[in-house]
Amino acid sequence: MAEKKTTGRKTPPRKPTAKPVAAAKPGKPTRAKADEPAKPDLAQVRQQIDGIDQQIQTLIAERARWAHQVGKAKGKLAAAVDYYRPEREAQVLRRVVDRNDGPLADEVLVRLFREVMSACLAQQEPLKIGYLGPEGTFSQQAVHKHFGHSAHGLPLGGIEEVFQEVAAGNADFGVVPVENSGQGTIQVTLDMFLTSPLRICGEVELRVHQYLLSRSGRIEDVERIFGHPQALAQTGGWLRTHLPGVEKLPVSSNAEGARRARQADDSAAIAGESAAVVYGLKKVAGPIEDRSDNTTRFLVIGRQPFPPSGNDRTSLLVFIRDRPGALYGVLEPLARRGISMNRIESRPEHGHKWQYAFFIDVAGHCDESPLKDALDEIGAQGDSVRVLGSYPVAIA
């Protein structure tokens, strides 16, 4: 009897079958079943997982000890903010993505490593991060995504207050929304940069899912809806279709809307899932955003600039003189050097009627060529160019 060829791959032995194979029906040829691999032994699998968990825990502890050594190598610094290096974190996370061969998604691994770095940094002292509160806002989610859960969040009453607390040193950094993929720019954030000395240190892109939440969980009970103006705009189509006659009341944040909605059965709020948990509300419907790609971009603001990370974006604030071709004179040096422009937006200057400032996002770091050379040329033309910040491009 000829031997079967083997592929070189070890196949686990088959367990003996408990029941005899039934005889084939007359007139029909029997077909041999292909060999099926035996089910893995559950106890063995769990034993392997336990061993891997122990190795992971040992390595995390070792990383934490080395992170503590980094703090010692830097010497005695004034506060936790002095130990934080966003460009270094961005480099570490990009390597995580580059090494990833699955099965976990890039976003999942980035989140895991963020939390490890957050916990290691908090050994010195947790970072204090101001954000648009109260608890349960998308701004709080952006804080967790960028800084991890070991950072200490400071919920504040408005975007202006976030800028004020960071500038005063009461918060190490702040996280503020700047634009939405469907509804455009959050104007109050741009206006704050016209007078604030703060710098942009990072960016966060957060996929936003909006839900209709209420105390009863029944759509037929809803007579009024609380929501941030952006949330009401992002869900306008759904609301017109499903709740056309309901009163819509704008509030300072989605979480504030959730807080108000929990006070009566005939009220509802548009907010995220985290707000439902914080305020004890039920989901009436969702996600209800009109666009499937609904994403909000947040900026991380701080008091100092940071070195290049290798893949950076720079935000500029340009005040141009009123003359023909003034804006062209700003953009041409960028285009000539092949510098990509991601966004441009104008806002009225404070104290100068009919004069405008331009917010421009470009690729690159202000300390590196070719962007550095372009900025020098623009400045030589007599236009005022302020670098709001050069920061790592958002990761996963």
Side-chain angles (χ1 to χ4, degrees):
M1 186 174 177
E3 291 185 355
K4 289 184 180 179
K5 276 190 175 181
T6 60
T7 59
R9 181 181 298 172
K10 291 182 179 179
T11 304
R14 296 183 62 198
K15 292 183 180 179
T17 53
K19 296 180 180 179
V21 179
K25 291 182 179 179
K28 291 187 178 180
T30 59
R31 175 182 278 177
K33 288 186 178 179
D35 286 350
E36 297 177 0
K39 289 183 179 179
D41 181 82
L42 184 58
Q44 276 190 337
V45 171
R46 286 174 173 168
Q47 187 177 8
Q48 288 292 325
I49 290 174
D50 290 343
I52 294 169
D53 287 345
Q54 183 177 347
Q55 293 176 50
I56 292 173
Q57 186 174 346
T58 300
L59 289 172
I60 289 175
E62 185 176 355
R63 190 193 193 284
R65 285 190 288 270
W66 279 109
H68 191 65
Q69 291 299 313
V70 170
K72 287 185 176 180
K74 290 182 178 180
K76 183 66 177 175
L77 300 178
V81 66
D82 300 308
Y83 294 94
Y84 179 65
R85 308 302 304 182
E87 77 283 0
R88 164 67 179 162
E89 284 200 359
Q91 292 164 356
V92 170
L93 294 176
R94 286 186 202 125
R95 286 197 287 270
V96 169
V97 172
D98 291 342
R99 290 192 301 260
N100 185 26
D101 292 324
L104 297 179
D106 290 345
E107 184 178 353
V108 174
L109 283 179
V110 166
R111 184 169 69 247
L112 291 172
F113 273 80
R114 277 272 194 214
E115 292 297 341
V116 170
M117 290 190 289
S118 176
C120 289
L121 180 63
Q123 292 179 107
Q124 314 296 333
E125 180 188 351
L127 289 171
K128 298 186 290 293
I129 314 298
Y131 67 91
L132 175 62
E135 284 188 85
T137 61
F138 290 114
S139 293
Q140 185 185 36
Q141 291 183 35
V143 169
H144 290 157
K145 181 174 181 179
H146 191 79
F147 289 98
H149 285 72
S150 294
H152 178 60
L154 301 174
L156 299 169
I159 290 173
E160 299 92 336
E161 194 175 346
V162 176
F163 275 82
Q164 292 165 3
E165 291 300 292
V166 176
N170 299 323
D172 297 318
F173 295 95
V175 172
V176 292
V178 68
E179 62 179 326
N180 177 265
S181 58
Q183 297 303 314
T185 303
I186 289 84
Q187 304 292 357
V188 63
T189 298
L190 291 189
D191 287 345
M192 288 302 299
F193 283 113
L194 292 171
T195 55
S196 174
L198 296 181
R199 310 294 291 266
I200 302 173
C201 308
E203 64 175 3
V204 189
E205 290 187 1
L206 187 70
R207 181 71 175 81
V208 171
H209 292 298
Q210 303 282 12
Y211 291 84
L212 185 67
L213 310 174
S214 77
R215 197 165 75 175
S216 72
R218 296 189 300 268
I219 195 169
E220 59 269 20
D221 294 340
V222 178
E223 295 182 7
R224 66 185 63 85
I225 298 173
F226 297 99
H228 188 277
Q230 281 276 331
L232 293 172
Q234 291 169 23
T235 58
W238 189 93
L239 293 175
R240 285 190 295 274
T241 301
H242 296 88
L243 293 167
V246 170
E247 183 182 12
K248 302 171 186 65
L249 300 171
V251 290
S252 60
S253 71
N254 288 340
E256 172 61 19
R259 188 186 68 79
R260 295 193 188 188
R262 70 176 176 179
Q263 297 172 5
D265 283 341
D266 62 356
S267 297
I270 297 173
E273 289 183 287
S274 60
V277 175
V278 172
Y279 298 100
L281 297 175
K282 298 176 182 177
K283 292 180 188 176
V284 180
I288 62 171
E289 61 270 13
D290 296 332
R291 291 179 54 133
S292 60
D293 63 345
N294 191 32
T295 301
T296 298
R297 178 175 173 241
F298 295 80
L299 297 178
V300 180
I301 54 175
R303 295 184 292 274
Q304 66 180 44
F306 289 95
S309 74
N311 183 19
D312 299 294
R313 194 188 322 278
T314 295
S315 293
L316 306 172
L317 178 57
V318 181
F319 300 93
I320 60 175
R321 293 178 294 169
D322 186 12
R323 67 180 190 276
L327 183 57
Y328 174 82
V330 171
L331 301 181
E332 192 276 334
L334 299 171
R336 182 166 14 100
R337 291 173 173 84
I339 297 169
S340 175
M341 183 177 67
N342 309 102
R343 184 172 69 99
I344 182 169
E345 180 124 5
S346 65
R347 292 295 296 156
E349 280 191 49
H350 289 183
H352 297 85
K353 187 169 61 175
W354 313 127
Q355 295 293 313
Y356 293 87
F358 290 87
F359 291 87
I360 303 174
D361 286 350
V362 295
H365 194 284
C366 64
D367 291 338
E368 294 183 322
S369 295
L371 181 56
K372 183 178 184 302
D373 303 326
L375 294 178
D376 290 342
E377 181 178 340
I378 295 169
Q381 297 174 172
D383 294 314
S384 173
V385 181
R386 179 182 159 209
V387 176
L388 296 178
S390 291
Y391 46 92
V393 172
I395 302 170

